[in-house]
Amino acid sequence: MKRDEHLLLIDGMALLFRSFFATAVTGQFMMNSKGLPTNGVQGFMKHLLMAADHVKPSHILVCWDMGSKTFRNEVYTDYKANRNAPPVELIPQFDLAKEVAEGFNLANVGIPGYEADDCIGTLAKAHHKERRVTVLSGDQDLLQLLDDGIEIMLLKKGFGNYQTYTKELFIEERGITPEQFIDVKALMGDSSDGYPGVKGIGEKTAIKLIQEHNDISGILNNLDKLTPSQRKKIESDLDMLHISRKLAEIHCEVPLPLTIENAVWSRVPHTSISYIEELELKVLRRFLMSSESLIATS
């Protein structure tokens, strides 16, 4: 274990969406002189830099979705089909966010056909035995990745507020393991991702069934021990249960280059200040100017 190394994995999509909608609701798109909206990008970078100041990582990687279609759409055509198209003011900020991250000497990661979650899972599981790993997101789905050496920081309201989970805390709070959380999601479904799980089984029942039978295989091997209602629901939705299990699990074997030499982080270089001035990212500049601990001394 390289105890002096600490890898911070950023869920870029989660931070960008959260930042955009936090200000878009009041119409604060923060247009620069070229007419480019920057509200999402500025909030995304502020979240990222505050987390870096909080965690003090040695390495940072920012993970992104690359297009709307992934292997999960081949498993289930309606996966995420219930989501609206992104607002027109957000669309140009996808590329801009990656450009600004690069302007801060941050490494972006993304592979077509996979979600940011899959990249995060692959990197976390590949590195946690050698160095400490922290994941920053607002997405509870990532809690399934918790392991020895992997913690998940979930964004709370505002900036710089986190709910940090370790594997031990998750087990104590939920009464299931991070791996069992996948089976719970398969049973109850996920309305935001557009897959139903088993119709009529909610979170409480799903957790109780997994606690009693360990996993989905254990449930299916003990159908005679379920209530008649539970058994009927599961038998009626067996195909969807198996599909939902595939959709719920984060894929941790994405073909990524796993070297992190280009992800070394210390502090914000002075060149980044002039870069954000060019883009007229005034909110971000004000934040940096008031955060001396984030800026390199020379």
Side-chain angles (χ1 to χ4, degrees):
M1 169 71 83
K2 299 173 182 174
R3 298 201 176 277
D4 56 332
E5 291 193 3
H6 188 167
L7 172 60
L8 176 60
L9 297 172
I10 304 287
D11 184 348
M13 299 305 286
L15 269 60
L16 183 63
F17 270 84
R18 174 180 283 251
S19 302
F20 175 83
F21 286 107
T23 46
V25 71
T26 53
Q28 298 174 336
F29 296 112
M30 303 177 192
M31 303 285 188
N32 66 12
S33 60
K34 293 174 183 170
L36 192 65
T38 62
N39 63 320
V41 171
Q42 298 201 75
F44 152 71
M45 282 305 305
K46 189 174 170 184
H47 274 304
L48 189 157
L49 292 168
M50 288 186 90
D53 200 30
H54 178 75
V55 171
K56 307 274 191 295
S58 57
H59 299 76
I60 299 178
L61 286 167
V62 190
C63 298
W64 300 96
D65 293 350
M66 302 295 283
S68 58
K69 298 291 181 189
T70 70
F71 73 93
R72 290 180 180 86
N73 296 101
E74 293 168 22
V75 175
Y76 183 56
T77 53
D78 285 341
Y79 180 71
K80 291 192 177 179
N82 56 335
R83 296 196 178 183
N84 296 326
V88 291
E89 295 88 356
L90 176 56
I91 292 168
Q93 297 191 61
F94 291 126
D95 287 339
L96 183 62
K98 297 185 190 82
E99 287 171 26
V100 172
E102 284 177 13
F104 278 75
N105 291 348
L106 294 161
N108 291 311
V109 176
I111 297 274
Y114 297 96
E115 295 180 39
D117 288 7
D118 301 314
C119 296
I120 289 168
T122 299
L123 290 161
K125 294 296 184 181
H127 288 288
H128 76 107
K129 289 178 182 170
E130 288 186 24
R131 51 187 64 81
R132 191 173 159 201
V133 175
T134 298
V135 176
L136 176 67
S137 180
D139 184 358
Q140 294 215 14
D141 288 354
L142 288 159
L143 293 171
Q144 66 181 262
L145 299 175
L146 287 164
D147 206 338
D148 298 329
I150 300 175
E151 64 179 14
I152 311 287
M153 275 170 52
L154 293 177
L155 291 165
K156 296 178 77 178
K157 195 171 182 182
F159 285 91
N161 299 316
Y162 315 106
Q163 185 171 13
T164 303
Y165 279 95
T166 59
K167 184 169 97 172
E168 293 73 24
L169 177 61
F170 179 85
I171 293 168
E172 183 186 322
E173 188 179 287
R174 307 283 177 107
I176 52 171
T177 66
E179 193 174 1
Q180 286 176 321
F181 184 44
I182 305 168
D183 285 2
V184 167
K185 293 262 306 174
L187 284 162
M188 63 183 275
D190 186 325
S191 57
S192 69
D193 284 343
Y195 61 90
V198 175
K199 206 170 289 180
I201 290 190
E203 185 176 15
K204 281 186 181 175
T205 303
I207 289 173
K208 186 169 179 287
L209 288 171
I210 293 301
Q211 286 172 333
E212 289 172 356
H213 302 286
N214 195 46
D215 55 22
I216 285 169
S217 295
I219 293 170
L220 298 180
N221 289 333
N222 291 281
L223 285 171
D224 56 320
K225 292 178 184 166
L226 307 189
T227 67
S229 170
Q230 289 169 350
R231 179 172 182 167
K232 186 180 177 186
K233 286 170 185 172
I234 288 170
E235 287 181 333
S236 299
D237 255 342
L238 208 49
D239 287 347
M240 185 49 70
L241 174 59
H242 291 306
I243 289 169
S244 295
R245 178 64 175 71
K246 287 179 185 172
L247 298 174
E249 185 170 17
I250 291 172
H251 184 79
C252 294
E253 293 179 1
V254 178
L256 287 172
L258 295 175
T259 56
I260 58 169
E261 282 73 23
N262 63 339
V264 173
W265 170 261
S266 52
R267 288 195 278 184
V268 175
H270 280 269
T271 50
S272 299
I273 307 294
S274 53
Y275 175 75
I276 61 176
E277 284 171 349
E278 278 175 43
L279 287 171
E280 302 166 39
L281 304 181
K282 294 173 185 173
V283 172
L284 189 53
R285 187 186 186 283
R286 273 200 306 273
F287 165 68
L288 274 173
M289 291 297 98
S290 65
S291 307
E292 290 180 15
S293 60
L294 276 168
I295 301 173
T297 50
S298 59

